[in-house]
Amino acid sequence: RDIGRGEEIVINYGKEWEDAWKKHVDLWKPPPDAERYSPAYVMDEVISILRTEEEQRYHPYQENIITSCFYRYSDNKDDLVPSKTSSETTAVRWKMTRGLFEFENLRPCSILQRSPGASDSIYTVLIRNRFGLNKEERIPKGQKHIVTHVPRHAIRFTDKIYSSDQHLPNAFRHAIGIPDEIFPEQWKNVK
């Protein structure tokens, strides 16, 4: 029969899984420095004014947090201005473009400077590459890429790689045992 509105499917993972879960709950202890951990999404909700790199020397964010900016290098290649002090540094003013606020455009950035804006602070940032960027989005090796006038809403806190709860060494992991008889015969037609 079809599943009706408001009904739920409940799956029993089996006694072995249940026993492993109970043991995990009984023995689990928080990791060292757990009280200092704050997930990135919480930081975004509570911190409206971001600290510069200089300010973070004396008042750093938690170890698991980095700042990341929504930015597409390919949108700005034609607007790059070489620095007067270094041939390896380029600068560009941040601009909003269609589709910019998609996850694929989020990349590590360091807050260099904060300035008052019309309704919010604006930032000057050093944009960095991250693993998995397309070739046209990568800042050339050896080049420092500065972006000015970045609004706060284009900067997010993100968890450093492998620092979220799911990567804890004592996170619960156990195979789920689902008996074959739970599935209708027509689903089991793989020969």
Side-chain angles (χ1 to χ4, degrees):
R1 75 173 176 87
D2 290 341
I3 300 168
R5 178 173 285 193
E7 288 185 313
E8 295 181 40
I9 295 178
V10 180
I11 298 176
N12 181 345
Y13 290 165
K15 180 165 177 24
E16 188 179 314
W17 186 94
E18 184 93 15
D19 291 344
W21 173 250
K22 287 177 184 173
K23 181 179 177 183
H24 172 76
V25 170
D26 290 342
L27 299 177
W28 187 85
K29 300 239 183 310
D33 295 329
E35 67 281 349
R36 286 208 21 90
Y37 175 78
S38 186
Y41 70 90
V42 171
M43 298 290 287
D44 265 329
E45 290 176 9
V46 298
I47 295 183
S48 58
I49 298 175
L50 301 173
R51 297 179 204 134
T52 65
E53 289 290 298
E54 181 68 25
E55 292 167 332
Q56 289 180 57
R57 287 185 191 171
Y58 306 102
H59 191 54
Y61 294 122
Q62 288 84 346
E63 283 291 315
N64 63 294
I65 298 291
I66 62 170
T67 48
S68 296
C69 296
F70 283 102
Y71 182 74
R72 259 194 311 248
Y73 183 71
S74 61
D75 288 345
N76 297 283
K77 283 184 182 175
D78 296 336
D79 301 328
L80 297 178
V81 177
S83 169
K84 293 179 176 116
T85 58
S86 170
S87 61
E88 290 92 29
T89 302
T90 56
V92 67
R93 184 181 176 126
W94 186 89
K95 64 181 175 184
M96 178 64 197
T97 55
R98 173 175 249 120
L100 180 63
F101 284 96
E102 294 183 18
F103 181 74
E104 66 192 25
N105 300 316
L106 193 60
R107 54 196 301 157
C109 63
S110 299
I111 311 297
L112 302 177
Q113 185 179 355
R114 179 182 55 248
S115 306
S119 61
D120 216 349
S121 294
I122 56 172
Y123 299 88
T124 298
V125 303
L126 173 66
I127 298 287
R128 295 181 172 16
N129 288 325
R130 66 164 170 75
F131 179 77
L133 282 174
N134 293 329
K135 186 177 180 181
E136 65 271 5
E137 295 304 330
R138 295 191 67 76
I139 298 163
K141 193 172 187 150
Q143 186 181 94
K144 287 185 179 179
H145 189 62
I146 308 293
V147 180
T148 65
H149 297 84
V150 181
R152 171 62 179 96
H153 68 271
I155 304 171
R156 297 281 190 277
F157 286 102
T158 53
D159 292 303
K160 282 183 183 172
I161 193 166
Y162 304 120
S163 71
S164 64
D165 289 345
Q166 68 183 352
H167 298 290
L168 289 172
N170 61 347
F172 179 71
R173 290 174 178 79
H174 195 277
I176 297 172
I178 302 177
D180 286 342
E181 58 270 7
I182 196 171
F183 300 106
E185 285 303 315
Q186 59 267 37
W187 289 12
K188 300 187 272 184
N189 62 356
V190 177
K191 304 276 184 220

